Amino acid sequence: MSAIAIKPDIYWVGVNDRTSDLFEGLWPITQEGVSYNAYLVRDERQAIIDLSKAIKGDQFFEQVAAVTDLSALDYIVINHMEPDHSGVLRTLLRIAPQVEILGSEKTKAMLESFYGVTENVRVVEDGETLSLGQHTLQFFSTPFVHWPETMMTYETSRRILFACDAFGSYGALRGAIFDDDCADLDFYEQEALRYYANIVAKFSRMVLRAIDKLADLPVDMIAPSHGLIWRRNPERIVELYRRWAEYATGPTEPGITLLYASMYGNTEKMMNTVAQGISSEGLPLDIFDVHHTHVSYILSSLWTKAGVMIGAPTYEGGLFPYVVHVLDMAKRKGVRGKLLGYFGSYGWSGGAQRELGQWVEDLKWESGPVLDFVGAPTQAELEQGEAFGAAFARSVRERLEQR
Ligand code: FEO
């Protein structure tokens, strides 16, 4: 994709990354890809807003060079220092050594620690404006969306908010860069949720603070640094981010995430009847085999759904290790307030349930019903499992109604 004018003299100069398997070395994007969106404002003085990951440097510089003379850039605005947006900085400084780098106070320190860059750096204050000629940029401090140095940049004449990680999503761009050109908004919304749950969720309080801070700013276009640009309906992505951020402390959606692991099929057999019971109550249900599904995808479900059902055998007197991994990531991301049910097989003594109790405490979840059984489930136990699932679903719904 070549550079695209998003408004007269304002260009998307981003790149798609379909090469990296993992975002942040952690989150799978092999199938989905990701875009590193950067923007160029061409005026009497020229500014580039955010850059790209180093691995895509050649393509990035081609994009910019198609619109302007790289060596004639006046400003680089660093909204966020994470190297998916700053990785090509040192190379760009070799091409355009005169350029002035603008960022927050914390950005200044990070420029030195990440890249050894200390010259031509100017700290911009919250609310400060910069005239480029016909265009004016205004900078807003929005710390911890995603790192502490983060800010957003607003172009005042066209009312564009360059929001960096905020309002972003996984998913390389498929030719269409605007929400109104995109035939598969559901994909980007689902990937925005996964991105939120993986990358941003821990900072939900700061997301809400940033949204509230900028609530009165007239915005015609939201141009994040990952995923679609929202111009037909910028409110949509703000609303989604607000809703997800509120899930950190408030009620979530009626629905259940069922996580299971099975060594020899006994717990899996029970899982199917528990799922039948849950579904009989009409609650949305996501089922994940924790061995086969990367936690990145599981977090989207955990973040949004009110109930969690874990089906896993006791393993060496404790919880099945893949389940522990998911719970650990849930804890790190601040997944709170869930009602938890548990079922599983054990061979000679239990133990999974005891360990789970500690996790419930750590996660600040609420313990719900338990159904464990020795070895393979009997027919009677399977029937019990169906009733167990249905009762759990009712508890999740009732608990939500009480909140
Ligand atoms: Fe897209 Fe926090 O970097």
Side-chain angles (χ1 to χ4, degrees):
M1 289 173 67
S2 42
I4 295 171
I6 62 171
K7 287 285 180 186
D9 291 320
I10 304 177
Y11 296 85
W12 172 85
V13 288
V15 291
N16 275 326
D17 182 357
R18 290 192 171 88
T19 309
S20 302
D21 286 321
L22 297 173
F23 186 81
E24 291 190 333
L26 190 56
W27 312 106
I29 51 168
T30 308
Q31 299 299 321
E32 302 84 359
V34 70
S35 69
Y36 311 120
N37 300 337
Y39 301 92
L40 182 88
V41 184
R42 210 164 55 175
D43 205 326
E44 291 161 31
R45 289 167 295 284
Q46 309 199 74
I48 191 159
I49 301 167
D50 292 321
L51 304 173
S52 153
K53 190 174 166 182
I55 191 176
K56 290 291 161 186
D58 283 354
Q59 285 174 32
F60 175 75
F61 290 122
E62 276 174 31
Q63 291 284 68
V64 182
V67 178
T68 192
D69 177 3
L70 269 166
S71 64
L73 279 176
D74 295 283
Y75 302 107
I76 300 171
V77 177
I78 304 275
N79 279 325
H80 176 29
M81 272 296 296
E82 193 162 6
D84 54 329
H85 309 293
S86 66
V88 297
L89 179 67
R90 269 201 297 230
T91 308
L92 182 53
L93 291 179
R94 282 189 207 110
I95 300 168
Q98 79 294 338
V99 79
E100 189 169 32
I101 305 170
L102 309 177
S104 67
E105 186 72 47
K106 287 193 165 64
T107 293
K108 186 179 179 185
M110 288 183 176
L111 281 167
E112 182 168 11
S113 57
F114 276 74
Y115 299 112
V117 169
T118 54
E119 293 185 2
N120 291 342
V121 179
R122 178 151 67 92
V123 171
V124 292
E125 301 300 327
D126 185 29
E128 184 175 332
T129 57
L130 171 75
S131 173
L132 302 174
Q134 303 304 309
H135 300 84
T136 298
L137 301 181
Q138 188 168 19
F139 309 105
F140 292 101
S141 172
T142 53
F144 286 104
V145 190
H146 156 216
W147 283 6
E149 86 296 0
T150 321
M151 64 180 199
M152 297 187 196
T153 299
Y154 178 65
E155 198 284 324
T156 60
S157 66
R158 299 293 180 173
R159 312 207 298 193
I160 304 172
L161 184 65
F162 300 101
C164 203
D165 276 359
F167 315 122
S169 76
Y170 296 128
L173 296 166
R174 303 164 172 180
I177 68 167
F178 297 108
D179 58 342
D180 50 299
D181 279 344
C182 175
D184 193 3
L185 269 186
D186 286 352
F187 167 77
Y188 288 100
E189 289 191 2
Q190 186 56 38
E191 287 303 309
L193 170 59
R194 186 164 71 97
Y195 181 82
Y196 188 91
N198 293 180
I199 309 295
V200 189
K202 187 175 179 62
F203 309 102
S204 289
R205 191 167 57 88
M206 302 308 279
V207 170
L208 289 175
R209 190 174 287 183
I211 289 174
D212 288 345
K213 174 175 179 166
L214 301 179
D216 294 332
L217 198 67
V219 173
D220 290 342
M221 189 185 289
I222 288 186
S225 288
H226 300 294
L228 291 175
I229 297 170
W230 300 78
R231 69 175 177 188
R232 179 172 57 193
N233 193 2
E235 301 81 15
R236 170 70 182 164
I237 192 67
V238 176
E239 189 43 46
L240 286 173
Y241 261 63
R242 177 188 287 283
R243 185 191 307 166
W244 297 331
E246 286 173 347
Y247 286 169
T249 51
T252 52
E253 297 165 16
I256 292 168
T257 308
L258 197 166
L259 309 172
Y260 82 96
S262 192
M263 294 165 70
Y264 296 105
N266 293 320
T267 299
E268 184 180 12
K269 198 179 273 185
M270 180 61 84
M271 181 277 290
N272 282 312
T273 61
V274 171
Q276 256 180 301
I278 292 172
S279 294
S280 71
E281 292 294 322
L283 272 192
L285 172 65
D286 292 335
I287 299 178
F288 298 102
D289 176 338
V290 290
H291 164 60
H292 285 120
T293 312
H294 193 286
V295 67
S296 169
Y297 299 91
I298 297 174
L299 282 170
S300 300
S301 180
L302 285 176
W303 191 258
T304 52
K305 296 203 163 31
V308 181
M309 176 64 81
I310 292 179
T314 289
Y315 185 81
E316 295 181 347
L319 203 48
F320 200 73
Y322 285 123
V323 172
V324 172
H325 172 59
V326 173
L327 294 175
D328 177 57
M329 290 304 282
K331 184 181 166 190
R332 289 165 188 262
K333 296 298 168 186
V335 177
R336 297 279 184 269
K338 307 298 174 186
L339 180 64
L340 177 74
Y342 168 77
F343 62 91
S345 167
Y346 63 93
W348 57 95
S349 71
Q353 197 191 329
R354 267 196 308 278
E355 190 176 337
L356 202 53
Q358 188 56 51
W359 278 105
V360 167
E361 215 168 286
D362 287 354
L363 283 156
K364 300 183 172 55
W365 292 2
E366 184 185 333
S367 283
V370 170
L371 175 65
D372 54 4
F373 50 95
V374 187
T378 62
Q379 187 54 37
E381 283 168 334
L382 289 173
E383 282 163 20
Q384 199 186 339
E386 188 174 346
F388 168 81
F392 180 69
R394 288 193 296 275
S395 302
V396 169
R397 186 181 281 124
E398 282 159 17
R399 186 166 174 264
L400 269 178
E401 286 165 0
Q402 287 161 8
R403 294 187 87 181

mmCIF file of all heavy atoms in Angstrom, residues 23-24 80 82 84-85 146-147 165 195 199 226, ligand 1:
data_model
loop_
_atom_site.group_PDB
_atom_site.id
_atom_site.type_symbol
_atom_site.label_atom_id
_atom_site.label_comp_id
_atom_site.label_asym_id
_atom_site.label_seq_id
_atom_site.Cartn_x
_atom_site.Cartn_y
_atom_site.Cartn_z
ATOM 1 N N PHE A 23 3.613 -10.022 18.288
ATOM 2 C CA PHE A 23 3.655 -8.605 18.640
ATOM 3 C C PHE A 23 4.215 -8.515 20.059
ATOM 4 O O PHE A 23 3.793 -9.281 20.930
ATOM 5 C CB PHE A 23 2.226 -8.052 18.568
ATOM 6 C CG PHE A 23 2.117 -6.577 18.776
ATOM 7 C CD1 PHE A 23 2.364 -5.694 17.739
ATOM 8 C CD2 PHE A 23 1.748 -6.064 20.007
ATOM 9 C CE1 PHE A 23 2.242 -4.321 17.917
ATOM 10 C CE2 PHE A 23 1.628 -4.691 20.198
ATOM 11 C CZ PHE A 23 1.878 -3.825 19.156
ATOM 12 N N GLU A 24 5.119 -7.611 20.290
ATOM 13 C CA GLU A 24 5.836 -7.524 21.577
ATOM 14 C C GLU A 24 6.550 -8.827 21.919
ATOM 15 O O GLU A 24 6.812 -9.107 23.093
ATOM 16 C CB GLU A 24 4.887 -7.160 22.739
ATOM 17 C CG GLU A 24 4.346 -5.748 22.698
ATOM 18 C CD GLU A 24 3.611 -5.346 23.968
ATOM 19 O OE1 GLU A 24 3.063 -6.240 24.655
ATOM 20 O OE2 GLU A 24 3.594 -4.147 24.283
ATOM 21 N N HIS A 80 4.646 8.021 21.445
ATOM 22 C CA HIS A 80 4.851 6.839 22.304
ATOM 23 C C HIS A 80 6.176 6.213 21.888
ATOM 24 O O HIS A 80 6.453 6.073 20.694
ATOM 25 C CB HIS A 80 3.673 5.900 22.066
ATOM 26 C CG HIS A 80 3.718 4.585 22.767
ATOM 27 N ND1 HIS A 80 4.360 4.370 23.964
ATOM 28 C CD2 HIS A 80 3.142 3.392 22.436
ATOM 29 C CE1 HIS A 80 4.201 3.108 24.324
ATOM 30 N NE2 HIS A 80 3.478 2.491 23.416
ATOM 31 N N GLU A 82 7.420 3.098 22.492
ATOM 32 C CA GLU A 82 7.594 1.661 22.247
ATOM 33 C C GLU A 82 8.132 1.476 20.824
ATOM 34 O O GLU A 82 7.681 2.144 19.880
ATOM 35 C CB GLU A 82 6.274 0.895 22.448
ATOM 36 C CG GLU A 82 6.508 -0.602 22.509
ATOM 37 C CD GLU A 82 5.358 -1.405 23.132
ATOM 38 O OE1 GLU A 82 4.299 -0.839 23.433
ATOM 39 O OE2 GLU A 82 5.553 -2.624 23.303
ATOM 40 N N ASP A 84 7.731 -0.322 18.351
ATOM 41 C CA ASP A 84 6.900 -0.510 17.153
ATOM 42 C C ASP A 84 6.568 0.838 16.513
ATOM 43 O O ASP A 84 6.158 0.888 15.358
ATOM 44 C CB ASP A 84 5.626 -1.317 17.460
ATOM 45 C CG ASP A 84 4.789 -0.754 18.592
ATOM 46 O OD1 ASP A 84 5.362 -0.146 19.516
ATOM 47 O OD2 ASP A 84 3.560 -0.918 18.558
ATOM 48 N N HIS A 85 6.774 1.935 17.257
ATOM 49 C CA HIS A 85 6.534 3.277 16.710
ATOM 50 C C HIS A 85 7.787 4.132 16.648
ATOM 51 O O HIS A 85 7.720 5.278 16.223
ATOM 52 C CB HIS A 85 5.486 4.015 17.554
ATOM 53 C CG HIS A 85 4.245 3.227 17.776
ATOM 54 N ND1 HIS A 85 3.385 2.911 16.750
ATOM 55 C CD2 HIS A 85 3.731 2.644 18.889
ATOM 56 C CE1 HIS A 85 2.390 2.173 17.228
ATOM 57 N NE2 HIS A 85 2.587 1.997 18.517
ATOM 58 N N HIS A 146 0.000 3.846 26.232
ATOM 59 C CA HIS A 146 0.175 2.628 26.964
ATOM 60 C C HIS A 146 1.318 2.689 27.990
ATOM 61 O O HIS A 146 1.279 1.993 29.002
ATOM 62 C CB HIS A 146 0.375 1.565 25.871
ATOM 63 C CG HIS A 146 1.066 0.324 26.080
ATOM 64 N ND1 HIS A 146 1.856 -0.281 25.154
ATOM 65 C CD2 HIS A 146 1.058 -0.504 27.144
ATOM 66 C CE1 HIS A 146 2.304 -1.415 25.583
ATOM 67 N NE2 HIS A 146 1.850 -1.584 26.788
ATOM 68 N N TRP A 147 2.351 3.464 27.718
ATOM 69 C CA TRP A 147 3.494 3.613 28.615
ATOM 70 C C TRP A 147 3.395 4.978 29.321
ATOM 71 O O TRP A 147 2.565 5.805 28.935
ATOM 72 C CB TRP A 147 4.805 3.518 27.805
ATOM 73 C CG TRP A 147 5.234 2.139 27.379
ATOM 74 C CD1 TRP A 147 4.533 0.973 27.529
ATOM 75 C CD2 TRP A 147 6.465 1.789 26.716
ATOM 76 N NE1 TRP A 147 5.258 -0.082 26.998
ATOM 77 C CE2 TRP A 147 6.448 0.394 26.495
ATOM 78 C CE3 TRP A 147 7.587 2.499 26.292
ATOM 79 C CZ2 TRP A 147 7.494 -0.289 25.876
ATOM 80 C CZ3 TRP A 147 8.631 1.832 25.673
ATOM 81 C CH2 TRP A 147 8.584 0.446 25.478
ATOM 82 N N ASP A 165 -1.390 4.238 20.407
ATOM 83 C CA ASP A 165 -1.947 2.926 20.774
ATOM 84 C C ASP A 165 -3.443 2.986 21.089
ATOM 85 O O ASP A 165 -4.172 2.007 20.861
ATOM 86 C CB ASP A 165 -1.225 2.372 22.010
ATOM 87 C CG ASP A 165 0.072 1.657 21.662
ATOM 88 O OD1 ASP A 165 0.405 1.566 20.467
ATOM 89 O OD2 ASP A 165 0.750 1.188 22.595
ATOM 90 N N TYR A 195 -6.484 -6.727 21.081
ATOM 91 C CA TYR A 195 -5.390 -5.781 21.337
ATOM 92 C C TYR A 195 -5.603 -5.105 22.701
ATOM 93 O O TYR A 195 -4.660 -4.965 23.493
ATOM 94 C CB TYR A 195 -5.364 -4.739 20.209
ATOM 95 C CG TYR A 195 -4.278 -3.714 20.341
ATOM 96 C CD1 TYR A 195 -2.978 -3.984 19.920
ATOM 97 C CD2 TYR A 195 -4.543 -2.468 20.883
ATOM 98 C CE1 TYR A 195 -1.975 -3.040 20.043
ATOM 99 C CE2 TYR A 195 -3.553 -1.520 21.011
ATOM 100 C CZ TYR A 195 -2.275 -1.810 20.594
ATOM 101 O OH TYR A 195 -1.283 -0.874 20.725
ATOM 102 N N ILE A 199 -2.842 -5.655 25.465
ATOM 103 C CA ILE A 199 -1.872 -4.557 25.551
ATOM 104 C C ILE A 199 -2.310 -3.448 26.506
ATOM 105 O O ILE A 199 -1.503 -2.889 27.234
ATOM 106 C CB ILE A 199 -1.650 -3.929 24.139
ATOM 107 C CG1 ILE A 199 -1.323 -5.008 23.097
ATOM 108 C CG2 ILE A 199 -0.590 -2.836 24.170
ATOM 109 C CD1 ILE A 199 -0.024 -5.743 23.307
ATOM 110 N N HIS A 226 -2.306 1.756 15.072
ATOM 111 C CA HIS A 226 -2.522 0.370 14.645
ATOM 112 C C HIS A 226 -3.962 0.254 14.135
ATOM 113 O O HIS A 226 -4.894 0.680 14.826
ATOM 114 C CB HIS A 226 -2.370 -0.613 15.807
ATOM 115 C CG HIS A 226 -1.025 -0.606 16.472
ATOM 116 N ND1 HIS A 226 0.129 -1.015 15.847
ATOM 117 C CD2 HIS A 226 -0.663 -0.242 17.730
ATOM 118 C CE1 HIS A 226 1.142 -0.920 16.688
ATOM 119 N NE2 HIS A 226 0.698 -0.444 17.837
HETATM 120 FE FE1 FEO B 1 1.963 0.188 19.601
HETATM 121 FE FE2 FEO B 1 2.640 0.439 22.987
HETATM 122 O O1 FEO B 1 3.002 0.282 21.159
#
